[in-house]
Amino acid sequence: MGNVYGYARVSTREQNEDRQLVALDRAKVPQKNIYLDKESGKDFNRPMYRQMLKRLRQDDLLYIKSIDRLGRDYEEVLEQWRVLTKEKRVDIVVLDMPLLDTRRGRDLMGTFLSDIVLQVLSFVAENERKNIRERQREGIEAAKMRGVQFGRPPKPVPDNFEQIYDQWNLKKISAEEAARLCNLTAATFYRRAREKRGQEI
């Protein structure tokens, strides 16, 4: 039996990692052997994960709270599982899924079952993320159809806009000068001018 490690990951610095750390503590993972990344899982340029990989040796034991801590898509989870179990030859325990414990059933059938469970879980996790994104997209579209505005509210039209617009329209001043006099960016002035022209047509 080698050393015992734990890995935790949260996708943003605002997310709380306490749930994962409590689970690793209950699994009796030494505090000094717990690695935490507060980075997106879309790639593996994660400093603590890389540091942990360098330390892992054959017969070490790695605990993670859930399978999606290893990656954010099906291929990445499977690849990291392969690196850890086949190249590094370490055991992995997924605390949320007791079936994913490579210490059990080291025979061919045990390994086969573990691989099948992993592939199914990875596929389900990725599918759920896709469904969430699709539901978000549909929700945004439905909200837009109801007239809900997204993003920052538009800046109100300055009181002097009509007067400045007329001067610009008559080529008495440049667009940059008009934008400055209206206290708008050039892009906003042009947009407002296009809207004004549309109203005049």
Side-chain angles (χ1 to χ4, degrees):
M1 178 70 180
N3 292 316
V4 177
Y5 293 91
Y7 179 69
R9 175 180 65 78
V10 287
S11 298
T12 66
R13 297 192 178 278
E14 288 74 35
Q15 286 183 343
N16 195 310
E17 65 275 10
D18 289 350
R19 193 173 62 91
Q20 294 177 64
L21 296 180
V22 166
L24 294 175
D25 184 61
R26 284 182 183 153
K28 304 280 193 295
V29 180
Q31 191 70 36
K32 65 183 175 67
N33 287 352
I34 293 177
Y35 290 80
L36 169 67
D37 274 310
K38 292 192 177 187
E39 311 251 343
S40 167
K42 68 180 181 227
D43 56 45
F44 270 74
N45 295 322
R46 298 181 290 177
M48 299 311 290
Y49 184 83
R50 290 201 312 271
Q51 194 174 321
M52 181 188 71
L53 273 183
K54 287 178 184 174
R55 282 192 67 185
L56 287 171
R57 298 290 179 267
Q58 184 173 338
D59 296 326
D60 284 345
L61 175 60
L62 173 64
Y63 283 96
I64 54 174
K65 180 80 168 74
S66 56
I67 192 63
D68 61 353
R69 298 306 85 194
L70 287 181
R72 295 192 67 180
D73 62 50
Y74 176 71
E75 290 83 8
E76 196 65 68
V77 170
L78 292 178
E79 173 61 15
Q80 292 309 310
W81 187 272
R82 185 194 64 76
V83 168
L84 291 164
T85 59
K86 304 293 194 295
E87 290 182 16
K88 290 289 185 178
R89 301 181 69 81
V90 302
D91 278 314
I92 305 177
V93 175
V94 180
L95 295 168
D96 280 355
M97 181 57 58
L99 277 172
L100 286 177
D101 181 345
T102 59
R103 298 172 302 178
R104 301 180 183 197
R106 287 178 175 274
D107 58 3
L108 187 60
M109 181 56 72
T111 301
F112 175 73
L113 286 174
S114 199
D115 285 349
I116 289 291
V117 171
L118 173 69
Q119 293 202 35
V120 169
L121 282 175
S122 299
F123 175 78
V124 168
E126 183 177 7
N127 220 40
E128 179 57 19
R129 278 191 296 274
K130 286 178 180 175
N131 288 339
I132 289 170
R133 285 196 296 269
E134 181 63 18
R135 288 195 294 269
Q136 286 173 337
R137 187 187 64 76
E138 289 171 352
I140 289 169
E141 284 181 5
K144 283 180 177 176
M145 288 175 70
R146 294 194 310 270
V148 175
Q149 296 287 328
F150 289 90
R152 288 182 297 182
K155 200 170 182 179
V157 177
D159 294 337
N160 64 344
F161 178 77
E162 297 275 343
Q163 177 190 348
I164 301 300
Y165 168 81
D166 288 339
Q167 291 183 45
W168 170 75
N169 204 28
L170 293 170
K171 301 194 181 340
K172 291 183 177 179
I173 57 174
S174 68
E176 290 74 17
E177 177 69 5
R180 188 184 64 75
L181 291 169
C182 289
N183 197 27
L184 298 171
T185 65
T188 302
F189 177 80
Y190 275 121
R191 181 165 51 79
R192 294 289 191 191
R194 282 196 302 272
E195 290 170 0
K196 172 78 174 158
R197 277 181 175 164
Q199 292 166 7
E200 291 172 348
I201 295 171

